[in-house]
Amino acid sequence: MNYNVNEKGYYGEFGGAYIPEMLYPNVEELRQQYLTITSEESFQKEFQQLLRDYVGRPTPLYFAKRFSEKYNTNVYLKREDLCHTGAHKVNNTIGQILLAKRLGKNRIIAETGAGQHGVATATVCALMGLECIVYMGEIDIQRQAPNVARMKMLGATVVPATSGSKTLKDATNEAIRDWINNPVDTHYIIGSVVGPHPYPDMVARFQSIISEETQKQLLEKEGRENPDYVVACVGGGSNAAGIYYHYLNQPEVGIIAVEAAGKGIDTGESAATSALGKMGIIHGSKTLLMQTPDGQITEPYSISAGLDYPGVGPMHANLFTSGRGEFISITDADAMKAGLELCELEGIIPAIESSHALAIFNQRKFKKDDIVVVNLSGRGDKDLNTYISYFNL
Amino acid sequence: MNRIVEKLNENKKIVSIYFTAGFPELNDTVTIIKELERSGVDLIEIGLPFSDPLADGPTIQKSSTKALQNGMTTQLLFDQLANIRDHVSIPLIIMGYFNPVLQYGVEKFCAKCKEIGIDGLILPDLPLAEYQEHYQSTFEKYGLINTFLITPQTSPQRIEEIDQASNGFIYMVSSASTTGAKQGFGDEQKNYFDRIASMQLKNPQIVGFGISNNQTYQAATQQAKGAIIGSAFIKHLENHGTSNISNFVNSIR
């Protein structure tokens, strides 16, 4: 079985482009052009150069010695937290802004949850001198104030999404509505592997630099390209798609996806889509999503704004239903504890999103000689307020 | 013959009204439909509310949220409509987003529509290709007409394709916008209306989005077969409830 997208835009039975006709010309233009444009030599040259000189790639693959000792296995951290802007999100925004320029677009819109994708979008818009509008849920604006300030400093307009649960789902709705109202001059930079085809594949390809580097770095350090496991947190799933990408069709590499259980899967306050979701349509994609029996999309909950999404990218939905991926859910409490533990053991303050991935070592045992690569997708600076109030620091 | 086709064959311009089922009150559905027919409306689009209506502006979003809070569900709507054909004879269309239909079960949904006497569906986020590959035969089995949208950005080639795939009317979105966003028509719309009229499509076109009064109705129907009023009617319901519906309709035509 192949776990990449097929020519019709599907991963198994998930994916497609369930969009109103108003979006068809834009999405179709992207579909027809994204592979051609991104494989052009001039595109690749500019993309690679910016990833190196501006983002700071390659990011280190760091052997977490004390953490490994504690859990009696071998844990490498892929240090996406060291990317410019503080998370992996910028890999994708660099790629999409170069694509947008080549499509002749001069106005950029984006949605954001934790604010990391919004900051990464505002950053590349400043870099390229393009107008930038970021939609962000009203609740997220409150809990991620530093990132809102960053976006403003970078010249972006931050528009609060006040409908529904006032979080990432609603910010995405507002961004889609903006695109419907501005179909000609605007490119929508989606931040995750969600949305209508070709977005999930396009974003996954831009993020695939993560596993491409991991292969080379692991070969240097361990004499082998393939770890035994790759681990990542999954909200929409872009950092996960990045660390899985070159391992998707290598069955000897275990794929572990970590979702946010929130206050617990059965509490009604959770964002663990694989456990609670059912196939449906969200934001133009057929995928697993949390919904009522009547097909109304329900409001998720997680302490981490970046995982607070009721769906999951179609690639991940397929990894789950096919059994290729092992899905684990982690509560707020366990994630917060794991985040603090990484600070104490390794001197690294992780984003709360990434802390979910680190928390699995308390639940799931690995063999002593296993090599486990965890994608440390972002740094915790943006979460300081949450850490402070949670631990009474 | 399907009631939509029958209506389109009449030599007159068509007023179609959209409303969100379950708004302003949960059990207003049948009252609104009866009042609309009595007021001389030609076609009714019954909105099945959805939590995340991507193509809709604030007015219809709010009405959908309210309808869901009131307790509207797919099954309840079907229950409310169970005897609707004892009361009205004009064409009825259910308009909504695809996910609630998918969860109800597409075939079960279509069968229920036929049983009640629904004549067609408009599901803006069910794309043409998916429809043709997976659902067309089911829609046809239950005698339902599916209506597709075109916009000013739709390419001539795709308009031809949509025309070929349609067997009722084409829903002509007046401008690049969500519902209820624009007021009045400028040169851009007039050029677009002219361009579509000159294509001599086999299906008549009914213009929607941005029709809120007699002026916009007249402009839209100069060449097109009819016009759809949604957000403006929702606002009327918001302000006046189900009373004076005929005043609203008379102010349009």
Side-chain angles (χ1 to χ4, degrees):
Chain A
M1 190 166 177
N2 184 316
Y3 296 94
N4 292 98
V5 75
N6 69 20
E7 68 287 348
K8 285 185 164 173
Y10 280 84
Y11 299 84
E13 51 187 339
F14 301 104
Y18 293 81
I19 47 168
E21 192 64 28
M22 294 78 117
L23 289 175
Y24 182 84
N26 281 334
V27 172
E28 181 61 11
E29 179 185 36
L30 269 184
R31 190 188 69 81
Q32 284 180 7
Q33 303 218 40
Y34 82 110
L35 291 176
T36 319
I37 291 177
T38 55
S39 59
E40 279 166 8
E41 207 187 317
S42 68
F43 180 97
Q44 277 303 322
K45 205 178 148 199
E46 203 178 348
F47 184 50
Q48 297 301 337
Q49 192 202 346
L50 284 169
L51 288 182
R52 188 184 68 231
D53 300 339
Y54 188 71
V55 175
R57 303 204 72 91
T59 58
L61 183 69
Y62 166 71
F63 180 69
K65 187 163 172 286
R66 296 186 66 208
F67 192 88
S68 298
E69 276 166 9
K70 166 145 194 202
Y71 291 105
N72 205 23
T73 187
N74 304 287
V75 179
Y76 280 90
L77 302 177
K78 181 60 174 161
R79 297 291 308 274
E80 293 301 299
D81 60 315
L82 295 177
C83 286
H84 177 45
T85 73
H88 71 289
K89 291 287 186 189
V90 72
N91 302 325
N92 167 49
T93 59
I94 295 259
Q96 285 203 48
I97 199 97
L98 295 177
L99 185 69
K101 268 177 53 181
R102 281 161 175 79
L103 292 171
K105 310 285 182 179
N106 53 33
R107 181 175 175 274
I108 299 295
I109 56 172
E111 85 295 337
T112 197
Q116 290 304 102
H117 174 58
V119 168
T121 305
T123 299
V124 297
C125 287
L127 181 68
M128 298 294 167
L130 297 181
E131 184 187 359
C132 180
I133 294 111
V134 179
Y135 290 90
M136 187 169 186
E138 207 170 43
I139 288 180
D140 291 337
I141 288 181
Q142 287 159 18
R143 60 180 169 178
Q144 303 288 338
N147 271 344
V148 177
R150 280 188 192 104
M151 287 185 267
K152 288 182 179 164
M153 289 177 74
L154 292 161
T157 306
V158 181
V159 182
T162 55
S163 57
S165 56
K166 303 181 177 67
T167 60
L168 180 55
K169 157 178 96 84
D170 312 284
T172 308
N173 290 340
E174 290 306 325
I176 291 174
R177 289 182 187 121
D178 180 308
W179 210 18
I180 288 175
N181 282 285
N182 298 281
V184 179
D185 63 342
T186 299
H187 175 69
Y188 176 19
I189 301 191
I190 295 185
S192 194
V193 288
V194 303
H197 178 67
Y199 276 102
D201 184 49
M202 180 169 71
V203 176
R205 283 167 186 264
F206 288 141
Q207 293 294 359
S208 71
I209 184 75
I210 301 172
S211 48
E212 190 184 318
E213 287 175 5
T214 303
Q215 283 184 318
K216 283 185 204 145
Q217 291 166 322
L218 207 59
L219 185 63
E220 257 173 44
K221 291 175 199 293
E222 297 280 350
R224 52 191 264 203
E225 281 191 343
N226 291 353
D228 296 292
Y229 298 94
V230 283
V231 182
C233 62
V234 175
S238 68
N239 91 82
I243 192 83
Y244 301 161
Y245 196 85
H246 290 277
Y247 300 120
L248 284 172
N249 300 311
Q250 316 248 20
E252 68 274 22
V253 181
I255 285 177
I256 298 178
V258 187
E259 293 182 310
K263 294 183 178 166
I265 285 183
D266 302 321
T267 62
E269 292 186 83
S270 176
T273 307
S274 70
L276 299 168
K278 202 175 154 236
M279 186 196 265
I281 313 273
I282 182 170
H283 298 140
S285 180
K286 188 185 264 186
T287 188
L288 294 174
L289 66 126
M290 292 163 54
Q291 53 184 318
T292 67
D294 215 36
Q296 310 296 343
I297 299 172
T298 52
E299 299 180 359
Y301 163 81
S302 164
I303 195 169
S304 137
L307 302 181
D308 200 352
Y309 185 68
V312 65
M315 172 200 279
H316 303 304
N318 186 44
L319 291 175
F320 175 72
T321 51
S322 65
R324 172 71 181 93
E326 177 183 345
F327 280 63
I328 297 175
S329 56
I330 293 293
T331 60
D332 289 355
D334 288 343
M336 294 304 283
K337 212 172 85 191
L340 197 57
E341 182 176 82
L342 192 75
C343 300
E344 290 164 358
L345 288 176
E346 299 291 346
I348 297 170
I349 301 176
I352 298 173
E353 288 79 7
S354 319
S355 300
H356 284 74
L358 297 163
I360 66 164
F361 293 91
N362 277 314
Q363 286 192 8
R364 187 197 189 286
K365 297 295 163 225
F366 292 90
K367 291 203 258 334
K368 192 172 171 28
D369 58 353
D370 277 345
I371 294 176
V372 185
V373 176
V374 178
N375 199 23
L376 197 69
S377 54
R379 67 175 92 123
D381 308 32
K382 70 176 174 65
D383 295 317
L384 273 187
N385 282 339
T386 311
Y387 278 122
I388 289 166
S389 58
Y390 193 86
F391 291 113
N392 292 315
L393 297 172
Chain B
M1 190 187 280
N2 184 295
R3 292 181 197 90
I4 297 170
V5 178
E6 240 169 72
K7 179 59 76 178
L8 293 167
N9 286 342
E10 289 176 17
N11 186 25
K12 65 179 283 205
K13 298 287 181 181
I14 283 176
V15 174
S16 177
I17 299 278
Y18 168 93
F19 75 98
T20 306
F23 177 87
E25 303 297 334
L26 181 61
N27 293 314
D28 283 343
T29 313
V30 172
T31 312
I32 292 172
I33 292 171
K34 283 197 229 169
E35 279 297 304
L36 285 172
E37 183 179 70
R38 204 172 59 85
S39 308
V41 160
D42 301 292
L43 206 157
I44 298 175
E45 294 168 24
I46 305 163
L48 178 62
F50 182 49
S51 55
D52 295 74
L54 289 180
D56 287 302
T59 304
I60 294 181
Q61 280 176 48
K62 269 192 269 168
S63 70
S64 305
T65 305
K66 180 79 197 306
L68 293 172
Q69 281 167 357
N70 286 347
M72 185 48 76
T73 66
T74 309
Q75 188 55 52
L76 181 60
L77 176 60
F78 284 140
D79 292 346
Q80 289 177 346
L81 295 175
N83 301 315
I84 194 69
R85 283 302 170 201
D86 297 343
H87 306 288
V88 299
S89 59
I90 62 171
L92 297 174
I93 290 175
I94 290 184
M95 181 166 188
Y97 290 81
F98 187 44
N99 197 49
V101 179
L102 194 63
Q103 301 312 321
Y104 194 84
V106 176
E107 172 132 24
K108 195 176 145 201
F109 191 96
C110 291
K112 199 75 195 169
C113 284
K114 185 183 162 74
E115 185 190 316
I116 288 167
I118 298 294
D119 306 290
L121 298 176
I122 306 176
L123 304 168
D125 61 342
L126 173 59
L128 177 62
E130 295 291 336
Y131 169 73
Q132 289 179 316
E133 197 176 329
H134 300 292
Y135 305 112
Q136 184 170 359
S137 55
T138 308
F139 278 45
E140 284 171 357
K141 180 173 160 194
Y142 295 99
L144 293 169
I145 286 182
N146 190 25
T147 297
F148 298 100
L149 279 57
I150 62 169
T151 81
Q153 274 69 44
T154 310
S155 70
Q157 190 199 348
R158 187 161 169 87
I159 292 174
E160 296 284 359
E161 230 179 287
I162 285 171
D163 192 35
Q164 286 311 312
S166 301
N167 53 0
F169 65 94
I170 290 173
Y171 191 130
M172 196 171 146
V173 176
S174 67
S175 64
S177 71
T178 42
T179 53
K182 302 270 160 85
Q183 297 205 328
F185 295 133
D187 287 344
E188 202 186 323
Q189 273 76 43
K190 293 196 179 84
N191 293 339
Y192 165 58
F193 295 161
D194 288 346
R195 180 163 61 83
I196 300 303
S198 73
M199 286 182 78
Q200 306 280 329
L201 300 173
K202 83 178 167 78
N203 291 278
Q205 304 96 50
I206 301 187
V207 180
F209 291 41
I211 323 285
S212 57
N213 51 29
N214 178 261
Q215 193 192 356
T216 41
Y217 170 77
Q218 292 297 344
T221 54
Q222 228 165 30
Q223 298 176 94
K225 177 74 179 170
I228 301 160
I229 296 101
S231 297
F233 183 61
I234 300 286
K235 277 183 193 153
H236 176 85
L237 291 174
E238 212 174 290
N239 296 331
H240 306 281
T242 53
S243 59
N244 295 326
I245 285 180
S246 60
N247 287 0
F248 177 83
V249 175
N250 290 336
S251 76
I252 297 290
R253 188 149 0 218

